Amino acid sequence: MDSEVIEALAGTTVLVVGDLMLDRFIYGVVDRISPEAPIPVLRFREESEMLGGAGNVARNIVALNGRAVLVAAVGNDTDGHYLSETLCPAVGIEARVVKSDTYPTTVKTRFVSEGQQILRVDREETALDHETLVKVEDAVAEALPHADAIVLSDYAKGMLTPDSIRVHIAAARAIGVPVIADPKSRDLTHYRNVDVITPNAQEAAVATGHACSTDEGAGKAAEAILESVDIGAVLITRGPQGMTLLAPTVGIEKPFHIPTRASSVYDVSGAGDTVIATLSVALSAGIDIKRAAHLANSAAGVVVGKLGTAAVSAEELLQSVSSTENISFMTREQAVAQVKQWHNKGLKVGFANGCFDLVHPGHVSLLRQARQQCDRLVVALNTDTSVKRLKGPSRPIQDQTSRATVIGSLRSVDLVTLFDEETPLELIKLLKPDVLIKGEDYKVHEVVGHDIIGQWGGRVCIIPLKAGHSTTNIISRSENATAN
């Protein structure tokens, strides 16, 4: 059922209208205080740039296999061209961007050390010229007839004025396109006649005077919003407290509280974008609002476990809602992203690899000792094809899914992934682990990657083996017992 619901998200078209911005992240490590002033010195490690604001909403829609049409305004400057002509097409967004000569592109630059933001620098203006606003309205009117839903992503950067909000809502309602609004204004009457509004806890509290830190308070805030604004439903996003939904028009007449699905929180940047993107795609696919809210909540639980402005894929969402047995198993692309997050948090990552065909006490001992050498341990398994090349046509005894499930269930293992090559060298180059770990049946110079790991400050660690345990010996004993 979960897979059918998430498959239904594919092919929907959502028109996103709102404030497009560039999110820039500068990652590094703070290990000293400046002699010039009592401020931390960030030792640069990496820089990344990605779509922010309404762009991140659109990116999340595409990641869920929906079609995103983005209407926004940026400055006629280098960052504006980069957003519309490079970043949007790179992730599959159909961007209909209006460029203004008087309005600079909004850029947020965050400086991050060990997973914590230590400074944010914003470049922005919040007043768009009339000519640009008219061009935006025309672009929205042109795109609306081909959309299954419209999202108003308001970040109070000038794209969505009270007048333009009313124009967009009226145009959508005239042709029966549902409207989902992520508000910024404390005056929620600006969003009158939308189908769903998604304020966060702080926005709902400011608008109604009811604190949303408890279920009771959030319920009162939701009721107050519906009493004061003519809308179909309200979904209050409450961070660690989950969500509160109220939608009397579809039978949810009392506040319905959804607990958070997040298992760990690294960064809440863009979590609201993920929520409204998932909600809009789900509603466009005909999923009822309660189930859509549950999906959005699950997606938020995934995205806050990532660093930076992030998107959630359909595959990640399915994994989250299905409660799969082996939550540590990841594709190569997911593994690279996860290790990058760990490194940006300042965590030391270890890397072990092998067939692990029949897991025995020797394997368990090796991996337990390996985990003591690092903060997070990645285990790379040979695929079935790779095992056959190494061990012969009768191997592996267990297929790669079974082996990944067993290894991933060990407490010492944080991430399991596969490699199909003769050696894991390409994977090592991508992950850049801090420690390469092998058993003592290898010499340091025999460990794949020993000659390159020093390039990024890593090392090789040789682990003592538990005597008397071998997969080959286990198979041999089993064959002899069968023969006798």
Side-chain angles (χ1 to χ4, degrees):
M1 179 61 72
D2 290 324
S3 61
E4 293 176 0
V5 169
I6 293 173
E7 285 174 6
L9 307 182
T12 57
T13 297
V14 179
L15 172 60
V16 181
V17 183
D19 298 293
L20 174 61
M21 58 191 75
L22 178 64
D23 278 352
R24 181 175 289 129
F25 291 83
I26 309 294
Y27 296 104
V29 177
V30 173
D31 50 20
R32 65 190 179 97
I33 300 299
S34 171
E36 303 168 359
I39 56 173
V41 175
L42 183 71
R43 181 157 48 87
F44 177 86
R45 181 168 188 168
E46 184 180 8
E47 179 177 341
S48 64
E49 295 175 320
M50 57 195 70
L51 294 162
N56 192 44
V57 176
R59 182 163 71 111
N60 273 270
I61 290 167
V62 172
L64 292 169
N65 296 326
R67 173 175 173 252
V69 179
L70 173 63
V71 176
V74 296
N76 189 16
D77 49 33
T78 301
D79 290 325
H81 288 285
Y82 180 57
L83 279 169
S84 61
E85 296 164 18
T86 301
L87 289 185
C88 283
V91 294
I93 296 170
E94 184 180 326
R96 304 185 183 183
V97 176
V98 179
K99 294 184 174 67
S100 170
D101 291 325
T102 62
Y103 174 84
T105 301
T106 300
V107 181
K108 294 182 179 181
T109 304
R110 299 172 174 91
F111 297 84
V112 183
S113 175
E114 297 184 348
Q116 298 296 318
Q117 289 188 34
I118 60 174
L119 178 67
R120 194 179 93 183
V121 178
D122 290 2
R123 189 190 74 183
E124 63 181 31
E125 295 291 340
T126 58
L128 262 175
D129 58 276
H130 178 71
E131 181 182 356
T132 299
L133 285 172
V134 170
K135 290 180 180 179
V136 167
E137 291 175 5
D138 291 342
V140 171
E142 182 181 348
L144 260 175
H146 311 287
D148 298 306
I150 177 174
V151 168
L152 302 180
S153 178
D154 192 355
Y155 272 80
K157 306 303 179 189
M159 258 288 296
L160 293 171
T161 67
D163 287 341
S164 67
I165 291 171
R166 284 192 289 271
V167 169
H168 299 324
I169 294 172
R173 291 186 67 85
I175 59 174
V177 176
V179 185
I180 302 99
D182 188 6
K184 183 58 66 174
S185 172
R186 67 167 56 199
D187 185 358
L188 298 185
T189 60
H190 294 324
Y191 308 94
R192 182 179 288 111
N193 294 324
V194 303
D195 294 88
V196 187
I197 195 169
T198 63
N200 62 32
Q202 182 180 2
E203 291 161 349
V206 169
T208 66
H210 296 289
C212 298
S213 55
T214 65
D215 288 351
E216 181 182 5
K220 289 181 178 179
E223 291 170 345
I225 290 171
L226 285 184
E227 288 175 3
S228 61
V229 187
D230 183 15
I231 55 178
V234 57
L235 178 67
I236 300 176
T237 57
R238 300 167 53 204
Q241 285 77 43
M243 299 179 174
T244 296
L245 173 66
L246 185 60
T249 57
V250 292
I252 305 174
E253 298 180 357
K254 295 182 179 180
F256 178 74
H257 307 291
I258 307 171
T260 184
R261 287 292 300 270
S263 57
S264 59
V265 178
Y266 297 151
D267 195 340
V268 297
S269 302
D273 300 334
T274 299
V275 168
I276 198 166
T278 309
L279 187 73
S280 65
V281 174
L283 293 175
S284 297
I287 297 169
D288 68 88
I289 192 168
K290 182 181 285 190
R291 186 59 187 273
H294 274 290
L295 286 175
N297 188 51
S298 295
V302 174
V303 82
V304 297
K306 302 182 177 185
L307 279 175
T309 311
V312 176
S313 69
E315 182 183 26
E316 290 172 321
L317 182 55
L318 179 59
Q319 185 180 45
S320 174
V321 301
S322 299
S323 300
T324 54
E325 291 183 8
N326 188 6
I327 60 173
S328 63
F329 178 71
M330 296 186 184
T331 65
R332 177 168 296 195
E333 292 74 19
Q334 292 170 332
V336 170
Q338 179 63 79
V339 170
K340 184 177 179 180
Q341 290 174 24
W342 287 336
H343 276 149
N344 286 331
K345 291 190 69 184
L347 299 176
K348 183 186 298 183
V349 178
F351 180 95
N353 69 278
C355 300
F356 293 97
D357 197 355
L358 294 177
V359 177
H360 51 67
H363 289 142
V364 175
S365 174
L366 171 68
L367 295 176
R368 183 172 59 247
Q369 293 179 77
R371 185 60 166 77
Q372 293 170 358
Q373 301 295 319
C374 56
D375 300 309
R376 298 289 185 270
L377 178 61
V378 175
V379 176
L381 299 178
N382 295 76
T383 62
D384 291 346
T385 302
S386 178
V387 174
K388 288 184 186 299
R389 289 197 301 263
L390 291 171
K391 305 289 186 179
S394 63
R395 300 281 294 276
I397 303 300
Q398 299 187 98
D399 64 27
Q400 60 197 39
T401 301
S402 300
R403 289 183 285 124
T405 298
V406 173
I407 291 295
S409 67
L410 297 179
R411 185 178 300 177
S412 56
V413 177
D414 299 286
L415 188 159
V416 180
T417 193
L418 300 172
F419 68 97
D420 193 52
E421 301 86 356
E422 294 294 334
T423 75
L425 184 60
E426 291 304 313
L427 186 57
I428 290 169
K429 290 179 180 178
L430 289 171
L431 297 181
K432 292 184 171 58
D434 302 283
V435 190
L436 289 178
I437 300 161
K438 279 301 230 182
E440 62 183 350
D441 49 343
Y442 283 79
K443 304 297 184 183
V444 170
H445 70 274
E446 297 174 331
V447 177
V448 173
H450 77 278
D451 53 338
I452 62 170
I453 191 168
Q455 295 175 9
W456 53 84
R459 64 184 176 89
V460 176
C461 179
I462 302 298
I463 300 291
L465 294 176
K466 194 176 183 67
H469 297 282
S470 162
T471 300
T472 301
N473 289 340
I474 293 172
I475 294 172
S476 179
R477 288 197 299 270
S478 175
E479 291 173 344
N480 291 336
T482 301
N484 294 332

